Amino acid sequence: MTELEKNIARSSAAPLSRKLKNRHLQMIAIGGAIGTGLFVGSGGALRRGGPAALLIGWILTGAMMFCTVQSLGELAVTFPVSGSFVQYNTRFISPAWGFCMAWNYALGWLTTLPLELVAASITIDYWNSDINSAAWVSIFYFLIFFINVFGVRGYGEAEFIFSIIKVLACLGFIFLGIILVCGGGPQGGYIGGKYWHDPGAFAHGFHGVCSVFVTAAFSFGGTELAGLAAAETENPRKTLPSATKQVFWRITLFYIVCLTLVGLLVPYTEPLLINSSGSNAAASPFVIAIKNAGIKGLPSVMNVVIMIAVISVGNSAVFGCSRTIASLADQGFGPKCFGYIDRQGRPLVGLAITLVIGLLCYLAASPKHGEVFTWLMAISGLSGLFTWWSINLCHLRFRRALSIRGRGTDELSFVSQVGIPGSLFGFCLIILILIAQLYVALFPIGGSPNAENFFEDYLTLPVLFLFIAIFYIWKRDFTLFRRAKDIDVDSGRKDFDLDAMRLEIAAEKAELASKPLYFRIYKFWC
């Protein structure tokens, strides 16, 4: 066996616990990634870009995200190995890029945990700012620690509950927002599209639109976790396709509809948006919209939802980072001890490393905490975009490898609904988003070009180059790109008997074709 085949075999045989049920994966897909990016970050995006830029940014990024998740779904159902897309980079692109992306993804989640814990403690300031934030950080830290003691089942149950709360909050805000826009609030009359005319649809023109994209991408962070969880799902072939399709509804309902209402209810000149820092609940346009309507008590309820969303992202950070660290050992990219998994299927070393780094959250009590967390965020700022770009490229390489062997999608349990054009769209749009972010980093809104601002926005890129340099020095493997004819498209498959698989897929398609039209439409979208 080649070194790559050995790595794939180790990943396929990883003794992770397969305890995630269908309901867990569905809720992770629908509401798992709804967090501070939507509830709080959208306020800063509205201030910089205006309501039209807000919609342009989220619609385009959402379309890219849908295509990316479809690509990931096809790959993860076919190869439900430990590490999922972290492994695919090595397999379909090159070992150097696989090393770079694996460590990039792990580092992104490592810095996310302390950041989210501090953000959760800051939300408490909405009610009481007298208590030291370190006390609240401790409570949230041990809550996440307790959840992950129970392994993937604990993560699944917690995310199931958190996601239900977030989904209900979004649905509630949609109904309330429609009522408020139509003039049904305690204060003020009909609003309609007033704020699109005064102060206007765009805050800073094209510059403002460019500044929105990275915030939009940040708000979709964690969407790929459904693919990462494939190796710990009871039956990924049955549950993952459905979870992948449901991402469309999350993007449409919970992002686009909510932010359309936010743009109608809150002007980008709102003093609370301008004067509040982007990390606290007071800067949330959801809270501001309810406050301005004169509704008592409900802003506090929304703030509770924001706090739960922040804890949910922190919990996902522990799950995502610990599994990625275990995958590093499987691929030979880290010490063998990283891959230790106990009898209950928990990657204990990965969990320990993630939780130890999470103790950085106690820097919240330091007077210099602002500078520390600014640079922590800078390290992982563009991490998700490079991860999604790689997923689309892996899908394109996989399809190319199948094509030159004369094989098609008839042997795949789940086929991306957007196919190769969708992967190309996602691949190209992410490049455009990175260019837009480079433009904003070089020429910040309301400021002059400076090195500090540039590296705060674009530090991820030099970190990636550093990882690639480390790989070349350590491994001495200078393979730049795997040729399609050398790509392994069979190792690690859940169902290796391709003839039997083709017959089963054909039988399932025939059965679906015999169903009523409404059922076929439902299965297409859900």
Side-chain angles (χ1 to χ4, degrees), residues 12 78 186 193 233 272 289 313 336 421 481 497:
S12 302
T78 307
T233 305
L272 286 173
V313 175
K336 289 184 179 180
F481 207 66
D497 188 338

Side-chain angles (χ1 to χ4, degrees), residues 154-438:
Y155 165 75
E157 292 293 351
E159 284 305 301
F160 181 76
I161 296 169
F162 291 155
S163 294
I164 286 177
I165 294 171
K166 291 185 285 186
V167 166
L168 290 176
C170 287
L171 291 174
F173 180 80
I174 289 171
F175 287 114
L176 176 63
I178 292 171
I179 292 169
L180 296 179
V181 168
C182 294
Q187 293 180 4
Y190 175 75
I191 298 174
K194 177 173 68 175
Y195 297 134
W196 279 63
H197 298 283
D198 183 21
F202 294 95
H204 294 94
F206 178 73
H207 205 165
V209 174
C210 289
S211 72
V212 166
F213 281 106
V214 168
T215 305
F218 172 74
S219 74
F220 286 106
T223 303
E224 73 285 344
L225 282 175
L228 191 66
E232 297 176 76
T233 305
E234 285 184 341
N235 189 347
R237 182 171 173 266
K238 298 295 184 184
T239 57
L240 199 54
S242 180
T244 298
K245 294 173 186 177
Q246 290 178 8
V247 169
F248 171 82
W249 298 109
R250 187 180 78 203
I251 293 170
T252 304
L253 287 176
F254 306 138
Y255 286 89
I256 307 305
V257 176
C258 280
L259 292 177
T260 299
L261 292 169
V262 161
L264 292 171
L265 292 169
V266 182
Y268 66 77
T269 53
E270 168 64 45
L272 286 173
L273 280 182
I274 296 171
N275 299 327
S276 298
S277 67
S279 59
N280 63 43
S284 168
F286 291 77
V287 173
I288 292 171
I290 297 170
K291 266 187 173 182
N292 290 349
I295 302 173
K296 304 294 183 182
L298 201 54
S300 290
V301 174
M302 197 67 211
N303 195 56
V304 170
V305 173
I306 293 172
M307 185 173 64
I308 290 171
V310 172
I311 295 170
S312 171
V313 175
N315 186 43
S316 295
V318 176
F319 174 83
C321 189
S322 60
R323 273 62 183 176
T324 305
I325 289 173
S327 177
L328 288 171
D330 292 337
Q331 298 180 78
F333 293 159
K336 289 184 179 180
C337 64
F338 280 12
Y340 176 72
I341 298 172
D342 71 355
R343 293 179 182 179
Q344 297 183 36
R346 297 173 298 188
L348 287 187
V349 175
L351 286 170
I353 292 172
T354 308
L355 291 169
V356 167
I357 299 298
L359 292 172
L360 286 172
C361 62
Y362 285 103
L363 287 170
S366 165
K368 295 285 186 180
H369 73 277
E371 296 175 27
V372 174
F373 287 108
T374 295
W375 289 107
L376 281 176
M377 187 173 289
I379 290 172
S380 61
L382 301 176
S383 172
L385 284 168
F386 283 104
T387 298
W388 303 330
W389 183 82
S390 290
I391 289 171
N392 284 302
L393 181 56
C394 286
H395 182 247
L396 292 170
R397 299 293 297 156
F398 170 60
R399 286 291 192 92
R400 173 62 181 160
L402 281 180
S403 176
I404 66 168
R405 288 169 172 78
R407 293 159 61 176
T409 57
D410 59 334
E411 64 184 54
L412 304 179
S413 302
F414 172 69
V415 179
S416 167
Q417 293 173 306
V418 292
I420 292 176
S423 295
L424 284 170
F425 171 78
F427 179 86
C428 295
L429 186 61
I430 291 171
I431 293 175
L432 293 177
I433 292 174
L434 290 170
I435 293 171
Q437 178 62 7
L438 179 62

Side-chain angles (χ1 to χ4, degrees), residues 24-146:
H24 295 141
L25 205 61
Q26 304 312 317
M27 289 311 298
I28 289 170
I30 292 175
I34 297 175
T36 50
L38 174 64
F39 291 129
V40 180
S42 57
L46 176 62
R47 183 184 71 246
R48 295 189 303 272
L54 199 69
L55 283 183
I56 291 170
W58 258 266
I59 287 173
L60 287 177
T61 308
M64 174 273 294
M65 201 66 244
F66 177 71
C67 293
T68 302
V69 172
Q70 286 283 322
S71 299
L72 176 58
E74 181 178 308
L75 292 170
V77 172
T78 307
F79 308 103
V81 297
S82 170
S84 184
F85 50 84
V86 176
Q87 295 268 8
Y88 303 150
N89 294 305
T90 303
R91 184 173 190 163
F92 299 117
I93 303 175
S94 75
W97 189 248
F99 177 88
C100 176
M101 283 292 98
W103 276 101
N104 166 68
Y105 193 69
L107 187 62
W109 281 124
L110 275 176
T111 56
T112 296
L113 178 58
L115 287 169
E116 294 299 327
L117 287 169
V118 173
S121 69
I122 291 173
T123 59
I124 303 294
D125 292 343
Y126 185 85
W127 298 290
N128 189 335
S129 59
D130 296 331
I131 299 175
N132 193 306
S133 58
W136 297 114
V137 162
S138 298
I139 292 171
F140 298 134
Y141 179 88
F142 284 104
L143 173 61
I144 290 175
F145 175 85
F146 179 76

